[in-house]
Amino acid sequence: MPRTAAVYLRRSTDRQEQSIADQRSAIDRYARERGFSISAEYVDDAISGADTEARKQFLKLVSDARRRDRRFHFVLVYDVSRFGRVGADEAGYYRHVLTEAGVEIVYVAEDFRGDDTDDLIRGTKQWIAHRMVLDLSKVTIRGQVSRVEKGRWCGGRPPYG
C-alpha cells in the first residue's frame, strides 16, 4: 500500500503564533524519516479542539477520507490533543470512521507501540486532553468573574458608555 498521507494541523487560538509551523515541521520530519508522501493538508486555525462542528477542515478531512478516490491512506497529526480535545467516545467515533474507510491515524509525537496497549494509552491521553480544556474554561470563567466583581474590564471590544 502506498504511504501517502494527509496532514491535519490545528491551533486553538491566534495567540499561538508558532503552533501550526511547529507542528508542520515535526510532521514533515517524521514523514521524511518514515517514507510518507504528503498529498493533502488540512488546517483549522484558531479553533478549539473541543468543538468538532466548528473544525471545518477536520470534517472535510473525514469526508475526503471516505471518498473512493481519496489521495491518502494515512493521516499524520502531531498528537492526540491536535486531533481534538473531545471526549474519548467522540474521538473514538472519528477514529472508527477513518479506520473503516481504510485510513490510519498516525500521532507523530506520541509513543504508541502498535499493540493493544495503544487503546488504553490513547484513550487516557484523549481523556486528559478533554479534561484540560474543560478545566481551563472553569479557570478562565473564574478569572473573568473576579475581574468583573472588582469593576475591571475583561477585554474584548471596548464597552460603550
Side-chain angles (χ1 to χ4, degrees):
M1 175 175 14
R3 293 183 57 87
T4 56
V7 171
Y8 178 66
L9 308 166
R10 184 188 64 77
R11 70 177 177 158
S12 302
T13 73
D14 57 5
R15 288 182 239 157
Q16 300 168 316
E17 293 85 7
Q18 280 300 118
S19 182
I20 296 289
D22 290 347
Q23 290 174 59
R24 185 178 288 120
S25 177
I27 290 171
D28 286 347
R29 184 172 45 257
Y30 183 94
R32 275 193 315 276
E33 290 171 358
R34 288 167 180 81
F36 286 97
S37 170
I38 296 173
S39 63
E41 183 177 278
Y42 301 82
V43 181
D44 280 316
D45 195 6
I47 299 173
S48 170
D51 187 356
T52 302
E53 291 303 311
R55 296 188 298 141
K56 300 303 182 196
Q57 286 294 294
F58 177 79
L59 295 174
K60 182 170 178 10
L61 164 70
V62 172
S63 175
D64 288 353
R66 298 173 91 176
R67 295 174 51 110
R68 287 179 185 234
D69 63 343
R70 73 174 177 273
R71 300 179 346 222
F72 55 90
H73 294 90
F74 297 87
V75 172
L76 304 180
V77 62
Y78 183 73
D79 65 14
V80 168
S81 70
R82 296 304 89 196
F83 186 72
R85 289 193 184 274
V86 295
D89 288 345
E90 185 175 350
Y93 167 77
Y94 285 107
R95 279 194 307 273
H96 174 74
V97 168
L98 291 168
T99 299
E100 285 294 303
V103 175
E104 180 181 338
I105 305 166
V106 178
Y107 305 91
V108 304
E110 305 286 7
D111 192 24
F112 294 131
R113 300 164 43 150
D115 60 24
D116 289 345
T117 62
D118 287 355
D119 292 336
L120 175 63
I121 295 167
R122 186 178 46 245
T124 302
K125 287 184 175 200
Q126 191 69 57
W127 180 83
I128 291 168
H130 183 61
R131 287 302 319 165
M132 190 190 127
V133 78
L134 294 176
D135 293 344
L136 181 61
S137 69
K138 288 179 194 173
V139 172
T140 301
I141 290 169
R142 184 192 70 215
Q144 290 173 336
V145 168
S146 175
R147 290 185 65 80
V148 167
E149 287 173 345
K150 293 175 184 171
R152 295 188 178 145
W153 180 39
C154 289
R157 291 182 182 212
Y160 290 103

